PDB file of all heavy atoms in Angstrom:
ATOM      1  N   THR A 152      46.448  31.587   9.162  1.00  0.00           N
ATOM      2  CA  THR A 152      46.090  32.318   7.949  1.00  0.00           C
ATOM      3  C   THR A 152      46.583  31.578   6.706  1.00  0.00           C
ATOM      4  O   THR A 152      45.966  31.687   5.637  1.00  0.00           O
ATOM      5  CB  THR A 152      46.759  33.730   7.927  1.00  0.00           C
ATOM      6  OG1 THR A 152      48.174  33.631   7.901  1.00  0.00           O
ATOM      7  CG2 THR A 152      46.385  34.528   9.199  1.00  0.00           C
ATOM      8  N   HIS A 153      47.540  30.712   6.862  1.00  0.00           N
ATOM      9  CA  HIS A 153      48.083  29.987   5.667  1.00  0.00           C
ATOM     10  C   HIS A 153      47.134  28.839   5.213  1.00  0.00           C
ATOM     11  O   HIS A 153      47.303  28.355   4.078  1.00  0.00           O
ATOM     12  CB  HIS A 153      49.493  29.427   5.955  1.00  0.00           C
ATOM     13  CG  HIS A 153      50.527  30.440   6.111  1.00  0.00           C
ATOM     14  ND1 HIS A 153      51.084  31.120   5.023  1.00  0.00           N
ATOM     15  CD2 HIS A 153      51.148  30.960   7.194  1.00  0.00           C
ATOM     16  CE1 HIS A 153      51.920  32.024   5.439  1.00  0.00           C
ATOM     17  NE2 HIS A 153      52.039  31.951   6.716  1.00  0.00           N
ATOM     18  N   PHE A 154      46.197  28.497   6.027  1.00  0.00           N
ATOM     19  CA  PHE A 154      45.243  27.450   5.650  1.00  0.00           C
ATOM     20  C   PHE A 154      44.117  27.990   4.788  1.00  0.00           C
ATOM     21  O   PHE A 154      43.304  27.181   4.189  1.00  0.00           O
ATOM     22  CB  PHE A 154      44.685  26.766   6.910  1.00  0.00           C
ATOM     23  CG  PHE A 154      45.738  25.897   7.623  1.00  0.00           C
ATOM     24  CD1 PHE A 154      46.317  26.358   8.769  1.00  0.00           C
ATOM     25  CD2 PHE A 154      46.064  24.663   7.135  1.00  0.00           C
ATOM     26  CE1 PHE A 154      47.280  25.627   9.451  1.00  0.00           C
ATOM     27  CE2 PHE A 154      47.000  23.839   7.772  1.00  0.00           C
ATOM     28  CZ  PHE A 154      47.584  24.316   8.933  1.00  0.00           C
ATOM     29  N   CYS A 155      43.927  29.272   4.720  1.00  0.00           N
ATOM     30  CA  CYS A 155      42.917  29.935   3.891  1.00  0.00           C
ATOM     31  C   CYS A 155      43.195  29.664   2.430  1.00  0.00           C
ATOM     32  O   CYS A 155      44.304  29.581   2.027  1.00  0.00           O
ATOM     33  CB  CYS A 155      42.817  31.390   4.189  1.00  0.00           C
ATOM     34  SG  CYS A 155      42.206  31.850   5.783  1.00  0.00           S
ATOM     35  N   GLY A 156      42.121  29.542   1.695  1.00  0.00           N
ATOM     36  CA  GLY A 156      42.252  29.325   0.272  1.00  0.00           C
ATOM     37  C   GLY A 156      42.093  27.857  -0.151  1.00  0.00           C
ATOM     38  O   GLY A 156      41.714  27.029   0.624  1.00  0.00           O
ATOM     39  N   THR A 157      42.416  27.593  -1.406  1.00  0.00           N
ATOM     40  CA  THR A 157      42.327  26.280  -1.920  1.00  0.00           C
ATOM     41  C   THR A 157      43.647  25.561  -1.936  1.00  0.00           C
ATOM     42  O   THR A 157      44.614  26.064  -2.469  1.00  0.00           O
ATOM     43  CB  THR A 157      41.746  26.320  -3.388  1.00  0.00           C
ATOM     44  OG1 THR A 157      40.514  26.957  -3.408  1.00  0.00           O
ATOM     45  CG2 THR A 157      41.598  24.894  -3.936  1.00  0.00           C
ATOM     46  N   HIS A 158      43.701  24.389  -1.209  1.00  0.00           N
ATOM     47  CA  HIS A 158      44.935  23.651  -1.073  1.00  0.00           C
ATOM     48  C   HIS A 158      44.704  22.190  -1.107  1.00  0.00           C
ATOM     49  O   HIS A 158      43.533  21.739  -1.008  1.00  0.00           O
ATOM     50  CB  HIS A 158      45.587  24.012   0.328  1.00  0.00           C
ATOM     51  CG  HIS A 158      45.827  25.445   0.582  1.00  0.00           C
ATOM     52  ND1 HIS A 158      46.860  26.160  -0.048  1.00  0.00           N
ATOM     53  CD2 HIS A 158      45.144  26.340   1.400  1.00  0.00           C
ATOM     54  CE1 HIS A 158      46.802  27.385   0.342  1.00  0.00           C
ATOM     55  NE2 HIS A 158      45.853  27.533   1.271  1.00  0.00           N
ATOM     56  N   ASP A 159      45.717  21.401  -1.203  1.00  0.00           N
ATOM     57  CA  ASP A 159      45.649  19.957  -1.144  1.00  0.00           C
ATOM     58  C   ASP A 159      45.808  19.639   0.378  1.00  0.00           C
ATOM     59  O   ASP A 159      46.910  19.776   0.946  1.00  0.00           O
ATOM     60  CB  ASP A 159      46.721  19.283  -1.956  1.00  0.00           C
ATOM     61  CG  ASP A 159      46.622  17.772  -1.929  1.00  0.00           C
ATOM     62  OD1 ASP A 159      45.900  17.223  -1.093  1.00  0.00           O
ATOM     63  OD2 ASP A 159      47.279  17.140  -2.823  1.00  0.00           O
ATOM     64  N   PHE A 160      44.714  19.126   0.965  1.00  0.00           N
ATOM     65  CA  PHE A 160      44.737  18.944   2.414  1.00  0.00           C
ATOM     66  C   PHE A 160      44.929  17.362   2.682  1.00  0.00           C
ATOM     67  O   PHE A 160      44.567  16.945   3.838  1.00  0.00           O
ATOM     68  CB  PHE A 160      43.462  19.414   3.067  1.00  0.00           C
ATOM     69  CG  PHE A 160      43.416  20.833   3.201  1.00  0.00           C
ATOM     70  CD1 PHE A 160      42.776  21.673   2.258  1.00  0.00           C
ATOM     71  CD2 PHE A 160      43.981  21.545   4.297  1.00  0.00           C
ATOM     72  CE1 PHE A 160      42.694  23.023   2.415  1.00  0.00           C
ATOM     73  CE2 PHE A 160      43.891  22.871   4.485  1.00  0.00           C
ATOM     74  CZ  PHE A 160      43.315  23.655   3.452  1.00  0.00           C
ATOM     75  N   SER A 161      45.552  16.729   1.743  1.00  0.00           N
ATOM     76  CA  SER A 161      45.762  15.247   2.001  1.00  0.00           C
ATOM     77  C   SER A 161      46.585  14.879   3.228  1.00  0.00           C
ATOM     78  O   SER A 161      46.404  13.828   3.832  1.00  0.00           O
ATOM     79  CB  SER A 161      46.338  14.624   0.768  1.00  0.00           C
ATOM     80  OG  SER A 161      47.650  15.198   0.422  1.00  0.00           O
ATOM     81  N   VAL A 162      47.441  15.812   3.665  1.00  0.00           N
ATOM     82  CA  VAL A 162      48.233  15.633   4.881  1.00  0.00           C
ATOM     83  C   VAL A 162      47.370  15.697   6.117  1.00  0.00           C
ATOM     84  O   VAL A 162      47.692  15.188   7.139  1.00  0.00           O
ATOM     85  CB  VAL A 162      49.352  16.689   4.941  1.00  0.00           C
ATOM     86  CG1 VAL A 162      50.038  16.729   6.282  1.00  0.00           C
ATOM     87  CG2 VAL A 162      50.370  16.495   3.844  1.00  0.00           C
ATOM     88  N   TYR A 163      46.209  16.392   5.973  1.00  0.00           N
ATOM     89  CA  TYR A 163      45.364  16.735   7.136  1.00  0.00           C
ATOM     90  C   TYR A 163      44.121  15.879   7.198  1.00  0.00           C
ATOM     91  O   TYR A 163      43.000  16.366   7.375  1.00  0.00           O
ATOM     92  CB  TYR A 163      45.029  18.178   7.104  1.00  0.00           C
ATOM     93  CG  TYR A 163      46.266  19.064   7.292  1.00  0.00           C
ATOM     94  CD1 TYR A 163      46.917  19.534   6.234  1.00  0.00           C
ATOM     95  CD2 TYR A 163      46.668  19.364   8.596  1.00  0.00           C
ATOM     96  CE1 TYR A 163      48.074  20.325   6.352  1.00  0.00           C
ATOM     97  CE2 TYR A 163      47.855  20.157   8.733  1.00  0.00           C
ATOM     98  CZ  TYR A 163      48.525  20.601   7.661  1.00  0.00           C
ATOM     99  OH  TYR A 163      49.701  21.356   7.878  1.00  0.00           O
ATOM    100  N   THR A 164      44.240  14.636   6.964  1.00  0.00           N
ATOM    101  CA  THR A 164      43.114  13.653   7.171  1.00  0.00           C
ATOM    102  C   THR A 164      43.713  12.319   7.460  1.00  0.00           C
ATOM    103  O   THR A 164      44.896  12.114   7.354  1.00  0.00           O
ATOM    104  CB  THR A 164      42.253  13.592   5.951  1.00  0.00           C
ATOM    105  OG1 THR A 164      41.127  12.808   6.203  1.00  0.00           O
ATOM    106  CG2 THR A 164      42.988  12.994   4.706  1.00  0.00           C
ATOM    107  N   ALA A 165      42.849  11.383   7.924  1.00  0.00           N
ATOM    108  CA  ALA A 165      43.295  10.026   8.292  1.00  0.00           C
ATOM    109  C   ALA A 165      42.354   9.031   7.575  1.00  0.00           C
ATOM    110  O   ALA A 165      41.135   9.335   7.331  1.00  0.00           O
ATOM    111  CB  ALA A 165      43.226   9.820   9.823  1.00  0.00           C
ATOM    112  N   ARG A 166      42.830   7.845   7.459  1.00  0.00           N
ATOM    113  CA  ARG A 166      42.027   6.763   6.733  1.00  0.00           C
ATOM    114  C   ARG A 166      41.499   7.291   5.490  1.00  0.00           C
ATOM    115  O   ARG A 166      40.302   7.133   5.179  1.00  0.00           O
ATOM    116  CB  ARG A 166      40.980   6.252   7.661  1.00  0.00           C
ATOM    117  CG  ARG A 166      41.403   5.816   9.072  1.00  0.00           C
ATOM    118  CD  ARG A 166      40.255   5.461   9.986  1.00  0.00           C
ATOM    119  NE  ARG A 166      40.740   5.231  11.341  1.00  0.00           N
ATOM    120  CZ  ARG A 166      39.884   5.118  12.394  1.00  0.00           C
ATOM    121  NH1 ARG A 166      38.600   5.127  12.226  1.00  0.00           N
ATOM    122  NH2 ARG A 166      40.373   4.958  13.594  1.00  0.00           N
ATOM    123  N   LEU A 167      42.380   7.802   4.684  1.00  0.00           N
ATOM    124  CA  LEU A 167      41.934   8.378   3.357  1.00  0.00           C
ATOM    125  C   LEU A 167      41.379   7.257   2.429  1.00  0.00           C
ATOM    126  O   LEU A 167      42.124   6.363   2.142  1.00  0.00           O
ATOM    127  CB  LEU A 167      43.144   9.165   2.685  1.00  0.00           C
ATOM    128  CG  LEU A 167      42.793   9.913   1.422  1.00  0.00           C
ATOM    129  CD1 LEU A 167      41.814  11.016   1.711  1.00  0.00           C
ATOM    130  CD2 LEU A 167      44.084  10.570   0.993  1.00  0.00           C
ATOM    131  N   ARG A 168      40.207   7.473   1.962  1.00  0.00           N
ATOM    132  CA  ARG A 168      39.580   6.540   1.050  1.00  0.00           C
ATOM    133  C   ARG A 168      39.971   6.857  -0.341  1.00  0.00           C
ATOM    134  O   ARG A 168      40.095   8.052  -0.749  1.00  0.00           O
ATOM    135  CB  ARG A 168      38.073   6.487   1.179  1.00  0.00           C
ATOM    136  CG  ARG A 168      37.539   5.983   2.550  1.00  0.00           C
ATOM    137  CD  ARG A 168      36.006   5.953   2.648  1.00  0.00           C
ATOM    138  NE  ARG A 168      35.590   5.443   3.929  1.00  0.00           N
ATOM    139  CZ  ARG A 168      34.329   5.380   4.259  1.00  0.00           C
ATOM    140  NH1 ARG A 168      33.362   5.708   3.380  1.00  0.00           N
ATOM    141  NH2 ARG A 168      33.985   4.888   5.418  1.00  0.00           N
ATOM    142  N   GLU A 169      40.048   5.842  -1.222  1.00  0.00           N
ATOM    143  CA  GLU A 169      40.421   6.026  -2.611  1.00  0.00           C
ATOM    144  C   GLU A 169      39.287   6.882  -3.244  1.00  0.00           C
ATOM    145  O   GLU A 169      38.118   6.650  -3.036  1.00  0.00           O
ATOM    146  CB  GLU A 169      40.523   4.732  -3.339  1.00  0.00           C
ATOM    147  CG  GLU A 169      41.012   4.765  -4.778  1.00  0.00           C
ATOM    148  CD  GLU A 169      41.234   3.453  -5.391  1.00  0.00           C
ATOM    149  OE1 GLU A 169      41.120   2.443  -4.666  1.00  0.00           O
ATOM    150  OE2 GLU A 169      41.444   3.417  -6.602  1.00  0.00           O
ATOM    151  N   GLY A 170      39.715   7.856  -4.005  1.00  0.00           N
ATOM    152  CA  GLY A 170      38.801   8.752  -4.678  1.00  0.00           C
ATOM    153  C   GLY A 170      38.328   9.968  -3.921  1.00  0.00           C
ATOM    154  O   GLY A 170      37.607  10.844  -4.465  1.00  0.00           O
ATOM    155  N   THR A 171      38.755  10.097  -2.697  1.00  0.00           N
ATOM    156  CA  THR A 171      38.397  11.235  -1.883  1.00  0.00           C
ATOM    157  C   THR A 171      39.035  12.506  -2.448  1.00  0.00           C
ATOM    158  O   THR A 171      40.207  12.512  -2.790  1.00  0.00           O
ATOM    159  CB  THR A 171      38.870  11.097  -0.381  1.00  0.00           C
ATOM    160  OG1 THR A 171      38.203   9.988   0.165  1.00  0.00           O
ATOM    161  CG2 THR A 171      38.447  12.299   0.456  1.00  0.00           C
ATOM    162  N   GLN A 172      38.251  13.536  -2.617  1.00  0.00           N
ATOM    163  CA  GLN A 172      38.726  14.829  -3.116  1.00  0.00           C
ATOM    164  C   GLN A 172      39.494  15.527  -1.978  1.00  0.00           C
ATOM    165  O   GLN A 172      38.834  16.012  -1.000  1.00  0.00           O
ATOM    166  CB  GLN A 172      37.566  15.644  -3.612  1.00  0.00           C
ATOM    167  CG  GLN A 172      37.926  17.076  -4.029  1.00  0.00           C
ATOM    168  CD  GLN A 172      38.951  17.156  -5.144  1.00  0.00           C
ATOM    169  OE1 GLN A 172      40.214  17.311  -4.811  1.00  0.00           O
ATOM    170  NE2 GLN A 172      38.612  16.920  -6.344  1.00  0.00           N
TER     171      GLN A 172
END
Side-chain angles (χ1 to χ4, degrees):
T152 64
H153 291 286
F154 290 101
C155 290
T157 301
H158 306 284
D159 185 346
F160 286 95
S161 56
V162 170
Y163 295 93
T164 187
R166 303 175 193 171
L167 186 61
R168 295 181 179 178
E169 187 177 351
T171 299
Q172 175 57 262

